Structure formats: structure tokens, C-alpha cells
Amino acid sequence: MPTGIVGEFLELKTETDADVLAMQCGDFYEFFADDAELVADELDLTVSQKSSHGSSYPMAGVPLTELTPYLRALVERGYRVAVADQYETDDGGHAREIVRVVTPGTLLETSDDDARYLATIVAGGDDDGRTGDETMSGEGTQPIGVAFADVTTGRFLVTELDGWEDLRAELYRFDPAEVVPGPTLRNNDAFLETVREDLTGTLSVFDAEAFAPGRAAHAVRDQFGASIADSVGLDSQPATRAAGAALAYVDETGAGVLASMTRLTGYAAADHVELDATTQRNLELTETMRGETTGSLLEAIDHTVTAAGGRLLREWLTRPKRDREALERRLDAVDALAGATLERDRITTILEDAYDLERLAARTTSGSAGARALVSIRDTLGLLPELVDAVEETSLSTTPVADVLARPDYDGAQALREALADALADDPPKTKTEGGLLCRGYDPELDELIERHEAAREWIDTLAEREKQAHGLTHVTVDRNKTDGYYIQVGKSVADEVPAHYREIKTLKNSKRFVTDELAEHEREVLRVEEARAELEYELFEALRERVAESAALVQDVGRALARLDALTSLATHAASEDWTRPTLTDSRELAVTAGRHPVVEQTTDFVPNDLRLDTDRGFLIVTGPNMSGKSTYMRQAALIQLLAQAGSFVPAREAHIGLVDGIYTRVGALDELAQGRSTFMVEMQELSNILHSATADSLVILDEVGRGTATYDGIAIAWAATEYLHNEVRARTLFATHYHELTTLSDHLPRVANVHVAVDERDGDVTFLRTVRDGPTDRSYGVHVADLAGVPAPVVDRADHVLDRLREEKAIEARGGTADGETTQAVFDLSTGSFATGADDTRTGNGESTAETTDSETRASDDSTADSDDSTADSDVVDPAAQAVLEELTDLDLKQTPPVELISLVDAWQDRVTESTETTHEG
Ligand code: ADP
């Protein structure tokens, strides 16, 4: 172990969990050894070598005053940084101790406007002796407590979740900068894997005791004066433990920011529309699948002019609501603002001058706010009366817009503003210690010091002129610097003519510097008064800041109101400029949109509007059409219109009747998973499984191609079964785009299934995309059509068509489904004729809600099936082995890479094999 300064550094390093230690050494913060290498790499610092008792160690340093930006850069890159300060010991020596640890989730001074959450997570089984695997077994029964704290704004949310998927969805929504799992969870491999996969944040470890129920409950009560149950009605031990641990963590690491946590917000997952992580990603709410903000829904509709407004709009989009009343209020406000163009402009203009009050409040509580921050608070509080005027004097006065501004304590805010106005100088300097922070008339003692200071400076300022007059000197100036203090500087040409009482202190190239007793005395007065003034002023300033810190909750309230107004105005502006319409929210299970558009695509494309109707009689749409015709766009547009409505926004349509949903689930595309190297089919099935488990009759489900990742018949089988299940059991409103033409015939049998297709115009082999969605299925299978589009020669495509027809011969699939009037029916679909053969099975009646009791054997096709053979109707016998083998080869074949001649001979060979096999079957 090295001794000396490096030894001390390494010793201190053992006391902390931090990744990096910055240790004060005089006027610098130094990093040694590995830490020096790390910061040099990350921050482009120069590494030098420090020798200590025969060994040499890398060393890098930054000046004391410049630590903050380096610290921020390190922490924003995910490192936890400990800071050790140097202090003088009683015997006049130096010692150092760690004064704070800055972590990604507790960093106050961030470089962007986004929220920055710390997440603490407690699984219900923690601490009671169960293993981590049991607690995260994925069945979703274990309650999980989660707290999200944003120290930069004081937002503090807590909830209890119902299992693994919900946790993933919440983590995706909040995108925390730092995650601190409870004691059991942090050894849980499944948990760690998910966190690593989905999150960009840092994973930190914290004292197990902080998560202990009693201690955590105490921390919550200490901070908010009541338990979570009492303050937000959330009676949950895991949630309490998560909240208590978050407070303890912020207290320990967040250098005084704990006080910014002025309020606790509890919520239940059921308050919001369920959006699993995959769906949030698929719908490109805040960033595209490629991770870019451009092209996201948020970016497309964001007209906010304040940072806080932008944060809130993002929150609304990622956490849509289910409470119809709250949504109607938001819509009322948007409606009113959309119709009041001039007032809206006025509000926007006023808001443009607003600073980020939520952030500023946190800086006052942590003591890092300077005079300029307080000026920003003063000025922004001053916007409140202007905004109230802009609303009260107009048509908006009777709308919920007025309520938004009525929420914060108006008089309290104005009193605080006046207190700040009375105290602060108009344009104070950036530094806190050089004076000029406060204005005249605020404090008599300060005023006197200011007067004395100015008088003394006045004497000095006019000295040069007086000396010129008195002694007939030219080229005289009076100035001040650090080493010489005040001096009289005389040009060399006249330097010999100075009076005798001038004492020379320095000779320069072209001039000489002198002092006089009189100047020295005035200098002492200036310095004395200057110091007294700065000291008193800083003292007064701190008291003022303390006063603002005590009103942090009020400042946050005003900030929140301005943010809300900004977000509402933004929605209204977009609605007005893009001709969006107010959705009619209903409690029925419908989604009826007339002339709907895709909110993002419409901005860059000459968009063709389309209608959509989903309701209790028609709850499942099968969407067909060739590749690139617009299926995905149509379905995403449906999901986004639903989501916008539940964010309280107008929607891109001429008219929309929207039944509220409890969740939106999507399964779209597989490009990103492929890029991540995960098995596409596996991912696809996991997502499908999650949807089938989670969706309810009140959900909206969007499926874009299911079963693509496997051989054709497997794929059809899965898509078929999923359709039946969603239709019969889940009964969710569903849009299902598929290239399996076979599925379109399901509408003949399943009562609530309907077909729509995206029309194309095909003339002389040329395809024109019309982008129009029409009722009914496409008139051909586009599986082969894709090959056509890809440039595969016509004879091959024709043969492939033919082969497919032959493959389908004699293959029939039964369809299961409940009829609208409650009868359970079954039918057999004959792939060769493309139609169903059997109607209702009138020997059975179901309850209409579910066919769960219908067992496999009971739903076998009845005797009057037109299927050629009995076993062809059984699930297990859908495909004969030869045909299956051929199909697998067909699916695996890379059409673009195979020469046409080879293709033609392959197709011939396949056909022979299939024909042979069919004949054998018939003979048998
Ligand atoms: P598919 O899912 O059928 O392959 P997409 O939905 O990806 O097709 O759409 C293909 C292209 O067509 C996209 O670039 C999209 O911008 C455009 N598009 C889709 N629908 C419309 C529409 N209604 N009006 C104009 N362009 C559209």
C-alpha cells in the first residue's frame, strides 16, 4: 500500500462504493491510479505521473472551481463520483474526508431539460427469507414496490405493481438514470438481466437496512409528516419500503436535495393505460425504433415553449389516463384554447419568458442557487398575474384553463415575488461572493456599507484627475491589481517630475508605479468596507434563499401550473394548426374514426385519410394488402389516435368516437430484435404470449404479422389460434395485419371478425398504392405477390402460385368461435375451396362469453364436414409431412439469391413430391 497522498487517496477509496474519487489537493481536485486513467479517457484530461515512495502512479486533476462541469459529465455518463474535501486539522496539517457522493439519480445540475429519475425497487418477498427467484418468478402475483424520485424537480412518485411485466413497463416509461434494487432483488438474475437489457441507467447498491419496513416507514413520515397510506391512500408495504429507501438514498448522496422532495404522489397502475415496454417502443412515442427523437409522436406534436411544459407533455403521452372525467377536463381546456387563437398566442408569448421553477426550487433547497436563480424565480412568479389576466379577461375565464392557474396559492406567490423584488438587485452578477446581489433600501446596514464603499471608491476613481491638476502631470492613471493593490501609474517621460511624497514600487517598460500614504489609507478603507459589505450581503442573501427554500412547494406549484398551461396550449396549437378534432369519449367498446390520419406520417406525406370501425359487433379486423400498401400505418394510426385521446389531446381525424381502453398492446415488426441478435420467433412468441395474458375486453390490440418467424404452416396455425383466442376469450378490440390470406375467411365464421384491405390498383403488372382501406379481404394471396414485387421471374411466380394451390388441396382447418347470440359454433375451413363448410353445432349452447369449457374433442368437425377425410380436420393433422417438408424448404429459400433456372427445376421437384404424397394418402 503506498503512503503519502496516493496512499491517502486509495485509503479513502476503500470507504466508498463510488466508481471514482475526486480528492482535493490544494487548489485542485486530483484523481489517482485507475481513476486517473478513467477520467482521462472519459473527459480528455492529461495524465501525468506522481511518484510515491519509489512507485509511480497516474494522476489527473481539475482546478477547484471547475469541478462541477467535470463532475456532471462523469455522472451523466453513469459514474458515481465521490468528492473528498481537504480541511485544516488542529495541529495545522491537512486531512481529507468524503463530503458527498454524486450519482446519476441524485445529480442536481444536469445539462438537459429531461426529468432524471432515481428508481428504488422492492419485491414483496425481500427480507422475509425467500429467494430472489421466487420473488421474481414471473407469474405476476408478487407485489413490487417502486419509487421514482427526480431530485431536479422534486417529483416523487410511488406505486405498487403487480409483477414483472408491469415493472418493465414502468421502468421503460420513466427511463431512470439510476436504479437501486432492494436487498433480495439485487441478487436476482432475472431482474438484473431485464434491467441491463432495457435500461440505460446505472445500477447501484445501497444499505439493506434502508429498505427495512420500519426504517423506511419512518423515513417517509419524517419527510412528509404522514405515511404513504395517509397521504396518498396507498397502503402497501413494498411501496413504503421503496419510498423510504429512495429518501434515504437521496439524503445520503444528494447533497442537500432531500428538501426538494416536498410532495409525495401515489398512483395505481390502473390509473393509466397499460402500455408495455414493447408497445411504447413500437408506437415510437418519444423516440423512434432507431432511438431518434425526430419522427417520434412527441416530437411531432410538441409546441411547448418551456422545459417543464415539455416534460409534462412527455408524461401525458407515456402515461395516458383512464379517468374519463379528468380527460374531459383536459379536453375542455384544449378545446377552449384551440378556439381562442389570440389568447393562445398571448399565453405562449408570456410563457416564453418563464424559467424552470421546478428545477429552481430544487436549487434553492440544496443551497446551490445564486442570485440570478432567485431573479429567475422572481420574474417567473411575476408572469402569473399576466397569465391570469390573459385568461380572466377573455372567453377562457369560464373554462378549465382558468382552473389551472387558480391552483397554486396566488397571494403566497405574489408575496414571495415582492419579497424577492424588494431584495434583489436588478441584474446581479453570477458570483455569489463579490457583492452587488441585493438592491438599495433592502437593509439599512448594508446601505450604509454600500455608501461608504462607494465614497471610498469615488475618492480613488477621481484621484488621477486630482494628481494631474495638483502636480501638473500628464499620463497619470490609478488602478489596482492583486499584487500591488492600488497604485498611481505615471508615464516614463514624466516619471522624474512626480512629487517627493510618491513612493516608487515598480518600474515597467514605459511607466512607473507609485503609492502615497493617503492612497494606502483609502485602499485600506475600500478593502475593509468591501469585505464587510460582501459578508453582510452574502449573509442577507442566504437568508433570502432560505426563505425561498421554505416556499419550495409553492414555487413548484406555480411551476407545475405553468407547465400544465404550456402543455395544454401546445396540444391546442397542434389541434388548430393540423385540423385535429375533439374525440368523443365513451364508455362503450368502440373505436370509430372517420377520415383518420397518422399523426406523424401526415406531417411529411400527402396523407390519404381512412375510416375505422371497431365495436361490439365488429371487434376484430383482419387487415390485408400487399407489402408497403399501408397496413402498419393504418394500425399504428388507430393505436395512436386511441392513445392521444387518452392523453387528453385532440386527434387527427374528422370525427372520432372512442371507448376508453385499459391497455394498448402491440406486436409489430421484428427488425430491432433481429439487430439485437435475439431469436425473432422467440421474441415474437413472448410478445404474443404477453398480449394474450394481459389484454382484456377493454384493451386495444394491434398485431402486425404474427408467425412470420417460422415456417408457413406453423405460422398460419399460430395466427389462426391467436385470432380465435382473442376473438372468443379475450374479446379485445383487435387489428391484425397478416399476409396469410387464409385468415381472411375466418370472418365467414367468427361473428365479430371482419376483413378490411388496403387497396392497390394493378394495371398491366404495375401496382399503384391507393392507401385506401376498404371492407373485405384482398382478392389474392400476397405471399407470392411479394416474390413478384421482388423481381422473381414470372414463370417462377406462376408456378409458385400453382404449387401453393396444390399444397392447400385437401387441407382443412376447423374454426372455433362463439356466435353473437351465444351459440358455440364450429366449422371446417377447406383450404382448397377457400371456404367454410359447417355452420353452428346446435347440440351445444355456450354462454357467449367464452368457449373455455369447449374441449378439443367436442369441437371436432361434425360429420357433415366437406373435408375429405376425418383426420384432416384434427389440429394435429393439418399438414402432411411431405408437404410440410416442401414448405419448409420453400420458406427457407432465398428467392433473390436463387437463379431462375434452378428455381423452376426446384418447383417441379416439389410438385412431384407433393403429388406423390397426396396420391399415397388417397390410396391409403
Ligand atoms: P405495410 O405495413 O402495408 O407494409 P406501411 O404501413 O409500412 O405498409 O406503409 C408503407 C408506406 O406508405 C409508408 O412509407 C407510409 O408513409 C405510406 N403510407 C401508409 N399509409 C398511408 C396513407 N394513408 N397516406 C399516405 N401514405 C401512406
Side-chain angles (χ1 to χ4, degrees), residues 102-416:
V102 187
T103 75
T106 56
L107 176 70
L108 190 56
E109 315 266 348
T110 62
S111 58
D112 61 24
D113 291 337
D114 292 342
R116 211 179 162 75
Y117 285 102
L118 163 76
T120 47
I121 307 171
V122 178
D126 269 3
D127 279 353
D128 58 9
R130 272 187 268 184
T131 71
D133 287 340
E134 274 165 358
T135 63
M136 294 304 301
S137 59
E139 284 309 308
T141 46
Q142 194 70 239
I144 299 171
V146 191
F148 292 101
D150 179 5
V151 300
T152 70
T153 62
R155 290 276 280 159
F156 190 49
L157 295 104
V158 59
T159 191
E160 182 181 296
L161 300 171
D162 217 16
W164 193 220
E165 268 308 319
D166 286 359
L167 175 64
R168 281 189 58 187
E170 286 307 278
L171 289 177
Y172 194 88
R173 256 193 251 264
F174 284 89
D175 192 19
E178 186 173 6
V179 174
V180 185
T184 309
L185 220 41
R186 71 182 176 223
N187 297 317
N188 181 306
D189 289 341
F191 169 78
L192 296 175
E193 209 170 278
T194 298
V195 173
R196 288 215 185 90
E197 208 165 276
D198 282 356
L199 285 183
T200 47
T202 303
L203 204 56
S204 297
V205 167
F206 187 47
D207 295 349
E209 300 87 74
F211 290 88
R215 186 127 149 212
H218 186 77
V220 170
R221 227 170 296 116
D222 244 15
Q223 182 75 9
F224 303 110
S227 69
I228 295 187
D230 290 341
S231 49
V232 295
L234 183 71
D235 195 2
S236 151
Q237 196 188 66
T240 301
R241 292 171 58 198
L247 292 169
Y249 192 72
V250 170
D251 192 24
E252 182 160 312
T253 52
V257 288
L258 185 62
S260 75
M261 302 284 154
T262 58
R263 197 170 292 119
L264 180 69
T265 310
Y267 70 96
D271 295 346
H272 299 112
V273 175
E274 179 127 346
L275 293 173
D276 57 28
T278 311
T279 300
Q280 293 178 53
R281 202 173 14 228
N282 282 341
L283 293 181
E284 308 192 310
L285 300 183
T286 57
E287 56 176 43
T288 62
M289 303 262 243
R290 294 215 178 102
E292 289 153 9
T293 23
T294 310
S296 69
L297 177 65
L298 177 63
E299 202 256 359
I301 68 164
D302 187 357
H303 302 274
T304 58
V305 293
T306 68
R311 282 197 300 272
L312 188 61
L313 186 61
R314 165 190 294 261
E315 192 179 314
W316 286 354
L317 289 187
T318 53
R319 307 175 73 211
K321 279 176 166 299
R322 288 168 60 181
D323 176 355
R324 187 161 141 207
E325 249 173 62
L327 287 172
E328 293 287 5
R329 267 200 307 280
R330 220 181 261 173
L331 283 168
D332 282 343
V334 176
D335 209 348
L337 285 162
T341 315
L342 290 178
E343 291 82 349
R344 182 150 44 83
D345 283 351
R346 171 103 200 280
I347 290 171
T348 308
T349 310
I350 299 172
L351 284 173
E352 275 167 0
D353 290 334
Y355 293 92
D356 196 337
L357 286 181
E358 290 176 305
R359 286 258 167 107
L360 288 165
R363 287 179 51 200
T364 61
T365 57
S366 73
S368 69
R372 288 189 175 205
L374 297 197
V375 166
S376 300
I377 293 179
R378 175 195 72 193
D379 294 348
T380 309
L381 290 175
L383 300 178
L384 191 55
E386 284 185 49
L387 288 168
V388 169
D389 272 359
V391 168
E392 286 305 327
E393 311 280 286
T394 66
S395 59
L396 299 173
S397 64
T398 52
T399 68
V401 180
D403 303 339
V404 171
L405 292 173
R407 249 186 244 187
D409 168 12
Y410 184 90
D411 294 340
Q414 287 325 298
L416 184 62

Side-chain angles (χ1 to χ4, degrees), residues 583-598:
T584 307
L585 305 184
T586 71
D587 287 327
S588 65
R589 290 178 176 159
E590 66 177 333
L591 176 58
V593 179
T594 311
R597 283 116 52 201
H598 188 295

